[in-house]
Structure formats: C-alpha cells, structure tokens
C-alpha cells in the first residue's frame, strides 16, 4: 500500500481552496494533529501530498474499544487546539471521521486538513473544537464495540453542551476514559460501585 498519497484541498463542489498561509503552515510548520504537506503547488490546483507512514483510515482500523475511542477524541481536541498556533483554525477546516487516520499499534492520530466551505467567523475556536470533536465521536459510533458506544454517546453529549468550556469538556472526556480503562480490567470492575450506565 502506498503511504504517500495525493489529497485535494478544496476548490471543487462549492468548497474553498486551501489558503496560502494554511498550505505554508502544513508544509513548513510542525502540526500536531494534521498531516504535514509536501509537494503542494497552488498553480496546479489545490492538490498536495501527505505521507501516511503506515497509518490507516479510522474507519478501517477495526472495532474501537472505549479506551481507544476516547483517546482518539482527546488527541483530536488537543491537536486542534495546538495547531491554532500555526493559524490552522478549527472553524476554517472540516473534520469528518473519513479525514482521521490512526496507527493501530500506538493509536497515534493524524488528520487531513480540508478547508471548510466557509469560515464561521461568529464561532469561537473552543466551540468549533467541541463541535468537530462531537461530530467525530458520532462518526466513530458505527465502528465502535458495543461496550464503547455508550461512552461515545456520553462524549457527544458532553461536547455538544453550549454551557461547557473546553477545559471542562476535556475533563469530562478524561473522566470517561479513566472509567472505561478501570472497567476494562475485570478486577477493577468489581470495585466500581458507581452508575454503570454512562
């Protein structure tokens, strides 16, 4: 399987093309979440290359456990937040489950930066991060183990709350992940007297 693949960065189907500063950030910066970009030439259409380095699309990674699914969500939230330093703003990109790749050995996450149809200037970055992470969590439901689906549904509810700050949302995700990890151990589940319906 070819690790270096071409990616279209907008310009068709009513989507905007990637901006020059976004392409430059992906080529010359060190994005934490998004794949670095190579071989981009805006004069030849909005097409560039990414190197997947053995990563597979999330939808082909097999059934997701609750711990892995919640870990992926945490990486998405932290990665989008960190990549704002490169002016890769969450409100300026689309992020569907089809754009997310994982290394199934380490569960490291990367995503393809795809320009949004138009920026939601009225939306603050924290709300955009929560909304995109909630969308990704909803998309993961179809490839999650049965036991993981309740955790993902709870994560979607946490991320979709308008009164929830990004810090509190991340704390909620971390608490869910700790609980999922504890309950994945047969001995740990015996010690848990809390609400088993997450």
């Amino acid at each position: 399987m070819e690790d270096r693949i071409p990616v279209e960065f907008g310009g068709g189907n009513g989507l905007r093309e990637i901006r020059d500063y976004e392409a430059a950030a992906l080529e010359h910066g060190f994005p934490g979440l998004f794949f670095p970009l190579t071989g981009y030439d805006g004069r030849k259409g909005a097409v560039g290359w990414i190197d997947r380095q053995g990563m597979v699309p999330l939808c082909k990674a097999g059934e997701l456990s609750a711990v892995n699914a919640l870990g992926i969500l945490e990486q998405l939230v932290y990665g989008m937040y960190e990549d704002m330093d490169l002016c890769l703003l969450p409100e300026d990109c689309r992020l569907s489950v089809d754009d997310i790749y994982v290394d199934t050995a380490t569960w490291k996450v990367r995503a393809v930066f795809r320009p949004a149809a138009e920026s939601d200037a009225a939306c603050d970055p924290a709300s955009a991060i929560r909304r995109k992470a909630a969308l990704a969590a909803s998309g993961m439901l179809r490839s999650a183990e049965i036991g993981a689906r309740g955790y993902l549904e709870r994560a979607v509810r946490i991320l979709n709350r308008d009164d929830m700050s990004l810090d509190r949302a991340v704390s909620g995700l971390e608490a869910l992940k700790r609980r999922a990890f504890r309950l994945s151990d047969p001995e740990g589940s015996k010690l848990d007297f809390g609400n088993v319906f997450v």
Side-chain angles (χ1 to χ4, degrees):
M1 183 186 309
E2 180 66 36
D3 278 344
R4 192 169 179 263
I5 58 172
V7 176
E8 289 187 33
F9 292 96
N13 299 326
L15 300 175
R16 71 168 177 87
E17 282 191 16
I18 192 169
R19 297 180 179 119
D20 289 339
Y21 71 85
E22 292 167 334
L26 291 168
E27 278 189 292
H28 306 295
F30 296 97
L33 173 64
F34 297 109
F35 280 106
L37 179 61
T38 60
Y40 177 77
D41 185 351
R43 297 170 298 178
K44 297 179 182 177
V47 176
W49 295 82
I50 62 168
D51 187 355
R52 295 184 307 176
Q53 301 173 15
M55 299 185 107
V56 297
L58 180 57
C59 56
K60 295 182 179 176
E63 278 193 321
L64 296 172
S65 70
V67 173
N68 289 340
L70 293 166
I72 288 167
L73 283 180
E74 282 182 334
Q75 288 183 66
L76 291 175
V77 170
Y78 286 126
M80 282 188 277
Y81 185 80
E82 289 170 9
D83 285 351
M84 286 194 304
D85 290 344
L86 298 173
C87 293
L88 299 172
L89 302 178
E91 60 266 31
D92 289 338
C93 73
R94 300 182 283 143
L95 187 66
S96 74
V97 74
D98 297 328
D99 299 319
I100 301 169
Y101 288 73
V102 295
D103 178 338
T104 54
T106 63
W107 292 98
K108 165 91 171 115
V109 174
R110 284 277 193 188
V112 178
F113 183 90
R114 296 196 190 267
E118 59 182 64
S119 175
D120 185 1
C123 181
D124 68 296
S127 295
I129 290 171
R130 285 190 297 103
R131 190 177 67 242
K132 289 181 191 307
L135 183 65
S138 296
M140 283 192 273
L141 282 168
R142 65 179 180 238
S143 58
E145 295 174 352
I146 290 173
R149 292 178 190 162
Y151 288 97
L152 284 170
E153 288 168 357
R154 177 75 174 134
V156 170
R157 286 195 298 274
I158 289 170
L159 292 164
N160 278 331
R161 285 184 52 186
D162 290 332
D163 63 337
M164 182 79 69
S165 70
L166 189 58
D167 286 342
R168 285 186 56 214
V170 167
S171 294
L173 292 178
E174 288 174 348
L176 279 176
K177 185 178 171 187
R178 282 192 305 272
R179 181 179 176 88
F181 185 75
R182 188 175 67 245
L183 293 179
S184 67
D185 176 16
E187 291 301 312
S189 59
K190 291 178 187 173
L191 300 174
D192 186 67
F193 299 106
N195 182 5
V196 295
F197 301 104
V198 288

